Amino acid sequence: NAGVTQTPKFQVLKTGQSMTLQCAQDMNHEYMSWYRQDPGMGLRLIHYSVGAGITDQGEVPNGYNVSRSTTEDFPLRLLSAAPSQTSVYFCASRTTGGVLDTEAFFGQGTRLTVV
Amino acid sequence: GENVEQHPSTLSVQEGDSAVIKCTYSDSASNYFPWYKQELGKGPQLIIDIRSNVGEKKDQRIAVTLNKTAKHFSLHITETQPEDSAVYFCAASLTGTASKLTFGTGTRLQVTL
């Protein structure tokens, strides 16, 4: 199993450019989420999805869009990149079977720099 | 929403010593508390978790304690080794389909020889 795969690993954008960060998981997990990691601020939730066709906002959603057309894929779109979006982005997935939370599996991250 | 505070932000211990990282949370309804380890250039990986119906959980050299009354939980690593050097994150959430993990700000642990 590949687990959670993120592409690309590194990306440099100019201010105003758009791009999509890809995330795919092969564990048939219902729940997928995107976090950004900034120094001294831990991991902050951007958007999440509890299943295909269902998405919701997290703590810091502004400037980002998501969609969930399949169970496996959960892309994150930056419509007009800003320097404040320079960060490391992590995608995570987990199963939500029953009432118990389960381990979240993270991808390797995408390091994004906006100049 | 939930707020998780984590201390210390950096911790340096000698090999063989113990390390303790502490977290507090604000939402008394939170009932799931995982700990993640992040090595350089990698994504976080779960090392241990605890649910609110348990006060302590151990896994070899790693243990987590939970005090629901005080709303704090701690990670204990005994007999530290150089490979324990990493950034550690605590988190809290309500269990359920749409629950969201709220992370602490991380602790950089350095184990020196």
Side-chain angles (χ1 to χ4, degrees):
Chain A
N1 280 347
V4 179
T5 302
Q6 289 184 236
T7 56
K9 288 187 171 54
F10 302 94
Q11 183 71 48
V12 179
L13 287 179
K14 293 183 178 179
T15 297
Q17 285 186 317
S18 63
M19 80 159 295
T20 299
L21 279 62
Q22 301 292 345
C23 176
Q25 53 94 6
D26 61 0
M27 297 173 282
N28 200 32
H29 286 167
E30 304 94 338
Y31 190 109
M32 296 185 74
S33 52
W34 277 101
Y35 292 87
R36 59 177 289 173
Q37 184 177 27
D38 302 292
M41 302 190 75
L43 292 142
R44 293 182 293 168
L45 183 65
I46 304 171
H47 284 285
Y48 67 99
S49 168
V50 299
I54 306 169
T55 63
D56 205 347
Q57 297 181 349
E59 181 185 357
V60 287
N62 292 341
Y64 308 94
N65 279 353
V66 292
S67 60
R68 185 93 179 271
S69 57
T70 66
T71 300
E72 295 78 18
D73 300 298
F74 190 43
L76 178 71
R77 297 185 186 85
L78 283 71
L79 299 178
S80 179
S84 61
Q85 294 178 304
T86 293
S87 187
V88 181
Y89 292 84
F90 288 99
C91 178
S93 76
R94 63 180 172 87
T95 184
T96 57
V99 298
L100 297 179
D101 266 350
T102 60
E103 175 182 0
F105 293 84
F106 284 82
Q108 294 287 307
T110 295
R111 184 175 293 275
L112 175 68
T113 302
V114 183
V115 298
Chain B
E2 176 65 276
N3 181 52
V4 177
E5 294 189 356
Q6 182 172 348
H7 299 282
S9 57
T10 61
L11 179 60
S12 182
V13 299
Q14 286 195 324
E15 183 179 6
D17 288 349
S18 295
V20 180
I21 303 170
K22 299 181 178 182
C23 290
T24 60
Y25 60 99
S26 61
D27 190 340
S28 57
S30 289
N31 53 14
Y32 176 64
F33 307 94
W35 285 88
Y36 286 83
K37 176 183 180 182
Q38 185 179 28
E39 296 177 339
L40 194 62
K42 297 184 177 180
Q45 187 170 11
L46 182 76
I47 54 171
I48 195 167
D49 57 13
I50 191 168
R51 303 183 191 280
S52 59
N53 58 346
V54 176
E56 183 176 4
K57 184 177 179 180
K58 291 183 179 180
D59 184 2
Q60 299 183 343
R61 297 185 296 108
I62 295 173
V64 57
T65 59
L66 171 65
N67 183 326
K68 285 210 70 181
T69 303
K71 290 190 286 188
H72 66 70
F73 56 113
S74 301
L75 178 70
H76 304 254
I77 305 175
T78 59
E79 301 173 19
T80 53
Q81 301 169 3
E83 52 264 39
D84 294 328
S85 296
V87 179
Y88 292 81
F89 291 97
C90 63
S93 80
L94 289 161
T95 55
T97 302
S99 69
K100 292 171 277 189
L101 279 172
T102 300
F103 285 85
T105 51
T107 296
R108 183 174 299 278
L109 174 65
Q110 181 70 43
V111 180
T112 59
L113 298 174

